[in-house]
Structure formats: structure tokens, C-alpha cells
Amino acid sequence: MSDYNKTDFTNPSTFILMGIPGLEAAHVWISIPFCTMYTIAILGNFTILFIVKMELSLHGSMYYLLCMLAITDLVVSTSMLPKMLAIFWFNSREINFSACLTQLYVFHSFSVIESGIFVAMALDCYVAIWDPLRHSTILTNPVVAKIGLAVVLRSGLLALPFPFLVRQWPYCRTNAIPQPYCAHMAVLKLACADTRVSSYYGLFVLFCVMGLDVIFIVVSYIQILRAIFCLPAKDARLKTFGTCISHLCAILVFYIPGLFFSLTYRFHQNVPLHFHVLIANVYYLMPPTLNPIIYGVRTKQIRGRLLRLFTHKGT
């Protein structure tokens, strides 16, 4: 075992990010799908932002929330991928302790922001279906801005204890983090103290905050489905449900694998470490990669504007 795994220390100046433990020889090959996903996420989300900015007809609450989601996806993926690729390509494993805490804070705060944006999008969809004539007067631009500000403030404050709790613990086991980025539980497991406060707070954020978000979204969709099934014509029901199907797909991509991996990281039994780390990394890149594809394919206005853009360039 290398020296940095045996070092006794209390306040480390650096951590060592191990990448995918056990698969070091395949790091270059593993980097190819990750780099591809990151490229798709960057191009796709910037395309969404560009189309909404350029198309005046898309200057509404749904598309402003979609832009917030695109910015969040860009921040989440960029907080992880550049360092991850540096590990895979150049074996650049060291990360400063403060930089590690910053990455930890950005990653967790923007993950909670994404959850809050999905709640806001569920509210937007609910209002659009239950009261379509007053939708634009209820969810005005100032209201959407206030919702966005509330989401950001909530997430920033909830994630703030993570780096402060991690900073206070002594570290005397190792400074090697068995994954390619700093996350709360990964760093916490290196501490040689009773870290139950940090662990319980992480579970609080997972269940009491994001769990409440899920409950709100489920209740919203129950009401949405009630409104849809009240419509007399089948075509009208399908068309109305189609307006929210993109949002529903994005929610499933974000919440279901996220809950699974959060729980397995805390309570996993007999799961090989390299498998867990590899699959978890794929999961965290899935929403930034798939969201622009989901909304680009399923949203007629964005798809039409994109097709006109390429057709205009072609002619």
C-alpha cells in the first residue's frame, strides 16, 4: 500500500482521489464514455439556453425553469468531470483540502437546487393544466424569479453545513478518497471520530428535504392526472399529458437512481467498490446528459426551433 494510505495526520492539506479503485489500468478507456457524456451535456444544455434566449415565443415560465435546470446541470457536471478526466488521463490525483470542500459544497448544493427546480416545474405544469387561461398571469416573470431565488437560497443554506462539519473532524486513517471526486459521505468515512452528526444531517437532507420535494411532485401529478382524466376526448387527454411527459421523464432519471445510490452508499453490503463507484459516476452524469435530449426531443417548440436553425444554416 502506498505511503499516502498510511500517513497519520489530523488536518490534511490534500486528499488523494483514487479514480475507480481496482480499475486503474482501464482509466483511459473508462474516460471515453465519460468524456462523451460530458460533451453531450455541455453542447445540449448550452443549446437549450441559446434557443430559449433567441426565440421570443419561448420567454415563459416553463422555459425559464428549463434554463435554470440547464445551468444547474452544467454546474453539476463541470464540478466533477474536469478533475475526473485529469485523473483518468494524467494521473492528477491530488486535490487541496479547501478545493475538496468547495467541490463537495457545489456538488451537493446544486443537486438540491435541481430537486427544487423539478418541484417548481411540477407547479408550473399543474397551473398550466388546471388553469391554462390564467397561467401566464399567475406565473409571471417576477414570480418565476422569486421561485428561482427561493430554490437557490434553500439549497445553499442546506448544503452549507456539509463542508463545515467535514472540516471539524480529525483525519488519522488515510487521505485517499476511493472515487474521482469529493462527496460528503466519501470524505466522512476517512475521519477517525464519531461522525454521526454529519451522517444524520446527510440523511435529513436526503429524506426530509428531497423526500418532501418528491411528495410535492407526486401530489402535483395526482392532481394533474385527475384533470387529464376529466377531459372528455381521448385526443385531448393525450395532448394534455404530452405537455408534461418531458418533465416526468426527467424526474424519473433524477430521483429513482439517486435514491438507490444514496442508500447503497450508506448501507451497501457485498457490493464491489469499483462497481459502486463506476455506476454512481454514470448516474451523476445521466441527468445533465439526458435532460437536454429529453426536452429537445419531447418539446415541440424547442425541437421546431432547432430544426429551423439547422435548416436555415443549410440553406
Side-chain angles (χ1 to χ4, degrees):
M1 190 176 289
S2 47
D3 292 338
Y4 53 71
N5 282 332
K6 297 178 179 178
T7 305
D8 291 332
F9 51 94
T10 301
N11 296 306
S13 59
T14 60
F15 282 119
I16 306 297
L17 299 173
M18 301 299 293
I20 313 293
L23 297 177
E24 288 85 358
H27 272 177
V28 173
W29 296 106
I30 293 172
S31 71
I32 295 174
F34 283 115
C35 185
T36 302
M37 293 176 72
Y38 184 49
T39 303
I40 293 172
I42 293 292
L43 294 176
N45 285 293
F46 270 117
T47 300
I48 294 288
L49 294 172
F50 174 77
I51 289 175
V52 173
K53 182 179 185 301
M54 297 301 295
E55 187 67 37
L56 294 178
S57 65
L58 301 182
H59 289 188
S61 60
M62 172 184 173
Y63 300 101
Y64 288 145
L65 291 171
L66 182 55
C67 287
M68 294 180 198
L69 183 65
I71 293 170
T72 302
D73 284 337
L74 286 170
V75 174
V76 169
S77 57
T78 303
S79 70
M80 296 170 53
L81 258 294
K83 183 60 180 178
M84 189 185 300
L85 294 176
I87 295 169
F88 292 159
W89 291 342
F90 310 113
N91 202 33
S92 175
R93 300 186 177 193
E94 286 194 3
I95 184 170
N96 182 272
F97 185 59
S98 296
C100 181
L101 295 182
T102 301
Q103 185 186 53
L104 181 153
Y105 175 74
V106 170
F107 174 73
H108 287 291
S109 63
F110 276 84
S111 295
V112 179
I113 285 175
E114 187 149 357
S115 179
I117 291 172
F118 282 131
V119 172
M121 295 175 83
L123 174 64
D124 177 76
C125 191
Y126 169 79
V127 175
I129 288 177
W130 272 98
D131 201 352
L133 297 178
R134 296 180 58 218
H135 175 259
S136 59
T137 58
I138 294 173
L139 291 174
T140 61
N141 290 349
V143 171
V144 173
K146 290 175 182 177
I147 291 173
L149 181 61
V151 168
V152 171
L153 288 176
R154 182 193 75 152
S155 306
L157 292 174
L158 284 170
L160 196 58
F162 284 135
F164 286 103
L165 288 170
V166 167
R167 182 181 286 277
Q168 76 172 353
W169 305 123
Y171 296 88
C172 57
R173 295 174 182 170
T174 175
N175 65 338
I177 299 174
Q179 60 185 43
Y181 58 91
C182 293
H184 178 238
M185 285 303 298
V187 177
L188 199 62
K189 288 187 175 184
L190 306 182
C192 54
D194 185 354
T195 59
R196 282 180 293 182
V197 172
S198 292
S199 184
Y200 291 156
Y201 184 74
L203 288 172
F204 165 76
V205 173
L206 177 63
F207 286 109
C208 296
V209 178
M210 299 182 76
L212 289 175
D213 289 352
V214 172
I215 292 172
F216 184 89
I217 291 170
V218 169
V219 171
S220 297
Y221 265 90
I222 290 173
Q223 297 300 318
I224 289 168
L225 290 175
R226 281 184 56 201
I228 290 173
F229 287 125
C230 288
L231 296 174
K234 182 180 179 181
D235 289 344
R237 290 197 296 268
L238 292 174
K239 183 178 180 181
T240 305
F241 184 71
T243 60
C244 293
I245 192 66
S246 300
H247 179 227
L248 188 59
C249 291
I251 287 172
L252 295 176
V253 167
F254 180 76
Y255 283 110
I256 293 178
L259 180 61
F260 171 75
F261 287 117
S262 295
L263 294 177
T264 56
Y265 199 90
R266 287 173 169 82
F267 310 114
H268 69 280
Q269 297 290 334
N270 302 320
V271 178
L273 180 61
H274 67 270
F275 176 81
H276 175 83
V277 173
L278 186 62
I279 298 302
N281 290 340
V282 171
Y283 157 68
Y284 288 126
L285 275 177
M286 279 174 59
T289 305
L290 294 181
N291 284 343
I293 297 173
I294 291 171
Y295 284 101
V297 171
R298 292 294 312 175
T299 307
K300 182 174 67 175
Q301 293 87 340
I302 293 178
R303 185 174 66 247
R305 182 65 177 86
L306 191 60
L307 289 174
R308 289 201 304 275
L309 181 66
F310 282 111
T311 302
H312 178 72
K313 285 188 175 181
T315 55

